[in-house]
Amino acid sequence: MADAPPLESIVLADIAIVLLAGTAMVKLGKRLRQPPVVAEITVGLMLGPSLLGLLPGNIPHRLFPGEALPMLSVIAQVGLVLFMFLAGLELDVAVLRGDGKSVSTIAALSMAVPFGLGAGTAALLYGRYAPHAVSHAVFVLYMGTAFSITAFPVLARIIRDGGLSRTRIGTLAMACAAVCDVLAWCLLAVVVAVAQSDGIAQSASVIAWAAAYGVAMFLIVQPLLRRVVASLASHGDHGMLMITVVSGTFLSSCASAWIGIHAIFGAFVFGMVMPREALSGLLGQVAASVERVSGLFLPVFFIVTGLSVDIGALGWAGLSVLLLVVVTAVAGKFAGAAFPARLLGMSWREAGAFGALMNTRGLTEIVILEIGRELGLISGRMFTLMVLMALLTTVVASPMLRALRMWYPDSVPPVAGGVLPQPSRKGPDHVSEAGTSGRSTGHTADRPNP
C-alpha cells in the first residue's frame, strides 16, 4: 500500500479543490443574480459535514484531515486580513458624514433595534445554545452585535448591480451601512476585550489600549502614510508600495492582536487610514493587486467555516430555532431601517427596498461569527444557525428588490415611483464593484472572484 501523501501536498490539493469549486459556484451564482459571497458560503457548506458528510466514507475528513486544518487556517487568516484591509480602504470616512440627521437617525436605529431584538433572543437561547464557560452578559452582547450587522461591501455590490447607485435609496443605504459597519466593529472590539479579559480592570485596560491604538493610527500613522505613499507614487515604485501596504497591514494586525482585540481589527483600521486621494493612481493599482492575492487565499476561509457547520446536527427542533433567528434578524433590520425611512418621506415600496438592502450580511457576518466560534463565545449549533441566517438574509436581498420593482441593472432609473436620483459627490460611476473609493478593479464587492 502506498504511503499517505505529505501534509503539504494535501493542503495544496485542498486549495485547488476550493478554488475550482468556488469558481464554478460563483459562475452559477451570477446566473441567479447573487453576489459571489453567497456562492462561496454555499461551497463551504457543501464541502463540509452538512452535505459531503452525509455520504459514506467520511469524505470531508478525508479531503480536509484534522492535521491539515492549522495550515489551512493560517492561509485563511492571510486572506481574511487582506480582505479586512480592503474593507477598511473602501470605507471612505467622508461617507460617514452622509446626509446629516437622516443618516444618523436611521443608522442608529438600524443598529439599536436589531441589537435589542437579538439580545432578547440570545437571552432566551442562552441555556441551550451558549457554551458553559461564557457568561450570560457576554453571550447576549455578542449575539446582539451579530444580529445588528449590515455588510457594507456586499451592499455596495448589490446597489451597483441593481442600478441604484445614484438613487435616494442607494446613497442613503451606503451611508447608513458605513456608519453601521464602524459602530459594529467598535462594539465587537469591546465585546472581545471583555470576553478575553479577567475582570473589569483588565477589560478597561484593553479598551484603553485599543483607544490609544486608534488615536495613534489616525494622528501619527496616517500622516506618515500620506508622505510615504506620495513619495513612492511619484517614483512609480509599485513593488515597494505593495510591500509597504502588505507589511503595514500585517504589523497593524499584530498590534491589535497583541492588545487583545483580534488581528482583523488592525487590518481594518490600517485600510481606513490609507490616503484616499492616492487611490486614483499607483495606490489603486496596488489595492487591485492585494485584492487578487486575497482572492486566492480567502476562499479557504469559507471551507474552514463550512467544516464547522453541521446542519444535520440541528435536528428538527433546530428548525424552529432557525426560524426564530431568521425572523428576529429580518424584523430587527426592517423595524430599525424601513419604518424610519418611511417616516422620513420614502414610499412603502422604497422603504421596503431599503430594509432589504440593510438586511444583507454577507462575509462581514461570517467573519464576526468565526471570531465568536474561535473565542468560544457561541456553541457549534448556534454558529450553524447564525451562518444559515447570514446566508438566507443575503440571498433574499436581490429577489426582494426585483419583486418591489426596484431593480435597474442596465441604467440609472428614471424619476418615477418615488425614486429620486440624487447627485453624487463623486459622480455616477464612483460606487464601484469594490465599494465607494472610486476605483474599480474588476472584482466583486464582497470579495474578488477566485
Side-chain angles (χ1 to χ4, degrees), residues 36-399:
V37 68
V38 170
E40 292 169 344
I41 294 173
T42 304
V43 167
L45 299 181
M46 290 172 58
L47 295 179
S50 296
L51 182 61
L52 281 186
L54 302 178
L55 302 176
N58 198 6
I59 298 176
H61 179 73
R62 291 179 179 273
L63 288 176
F64 308 100
E67 55 269 24
L69 289 182
M71 295 180 67
L72 290 173
S73 296
V74 171
I75 294 170
Q77 188 75 4
V78 171
L80 182 59
V81 164
L82 293 177
F83 168 80
M84 291 305 299
F85 162 77
L86 293 169
L89 184 66
E90 302 298 348
L91 191 58
D92 191 347
V93 179
V95 176
L96 303 184
R97 291 192 290 270
D99 297 317
K101 293 183 179 179
S102 296
V103 172
S104 301
T105 301
I106 297 180
L109 289 173
S110 64
M111 279 288 293
V113 176
F115 182 91
L117 291 179
T121 301
L124 293 175
L125 299 177
Y126 175 76
R128 288 188 297 163
Y129 288 91
H132 296 298
V134 176
S135 69
H136 185 275
V138 169
F139 181 74
V140 168
L141 285 174
Y142 171 80
M143 291 295 294
T145 304
F147 271 103
S148 59
I149 291 299
T150 293
F152 181 82
V154 73
L155 176 69
R157 172 59 188 258
I158 292 174
I159 287 174
R160 190 199 66 84
D161 285 354
L164 299 172
S165 300
R166 290 190 294 161
T167 65
R168 180 185 184 184
I169 295 171
T171 54
L172 184 61
M174 289 289 289
C176 289
V179 175
C180 289
D181 233 20
V182 173
L183 290 176
W185 288 117
C186 292
L187 184 57
L188 183 65
V190 173
V191 174
V192 170
V194 172
Q196 290 190 299
S197 60
D198 298 324
I200 297 177
Q202 188 175 354
S203 298
S205 174
V206 171
I207 293 171
W209 274 106
Y213 159 79
V215 170
M217 291 296 290
F218 279 95
L219 296 185
I220 299 175
V221 175
Q222 189 175 51
L224 290 175
L225 279 175
R226 189 171 284 111
R227 296 191 187 94
V228 170
V229 170
S231 175
L232 293 176
S234 66
H235 292 87
D237 196 340
H238 182 282
M240 192 61 208
L241 185 54
M242 179 78 172
I243 292 173
T244 300
V245 166
V246 175
S247 299
T249 300
F250 290 161
L251 288 173
S252 183
S253 298
C254 178
S256 64
W258 177 74
I259 290 171
I261 55 171
H262 205 280
I264 64 169
F265 295 105
F268 183 76
V269 172
F270 191 75
M272 288 186 68
V273 301
M274 291 298 290
R276 296 300 180 287
E277 61 270 16
L279 279 174
S280 59
L282 189 63
L283 181 59
Q285 299 173 26
V286 169
S289 300
V290 173
E291 204 167 14
R292 286 189 285 271
V293 174
S294 175
L296 290 174
F297 291 149
L298 191 58
V300 180
F301 171 78
F302 293 99
I303 296 302
V304 174
T305 299
L307 292 174
S308 302
V309 174
D310 188 356
I311 298 175
L314 295 177
W316 290 107
L319 293 179
S320 60
V321 181
L322 176 62
L323 179 62
L324 173 63
V325 167
V326 172
V327 169
T328 299
V330 173
K333 280 296 181 182
F334 266 97
F339 293 153
R342 171 61 179 153
L343 293 175
L344 290 173
M346 287 189 183
S347 67
W348 279 116
R349 188 162 65 93
E350 285 182 293
F354 182 72
L357 286 170
M358 294 301 289
N359 253 299
T360 56
R361 287 173 169 86
L363 178 56
T364 306
E365 178 78 10
I366 303 299
V367 171
I368 288 178
L369 294 176
E370 183 63 25
I371 291 174
R373 187 193 68 82
E374 178 185 317
L375 298 179
L377 303 182
I378 52 176
S379 64
R381 289 191 299 167
M382 194 72 246
F383 179 76
T384 296
L385 290 167
M386 294 295 287
V387 168
L388 292 176
M389 179 274 288
L391 178 61
L392 292 172
T393 53
T394 305
V395 164
V396 301
S398 297

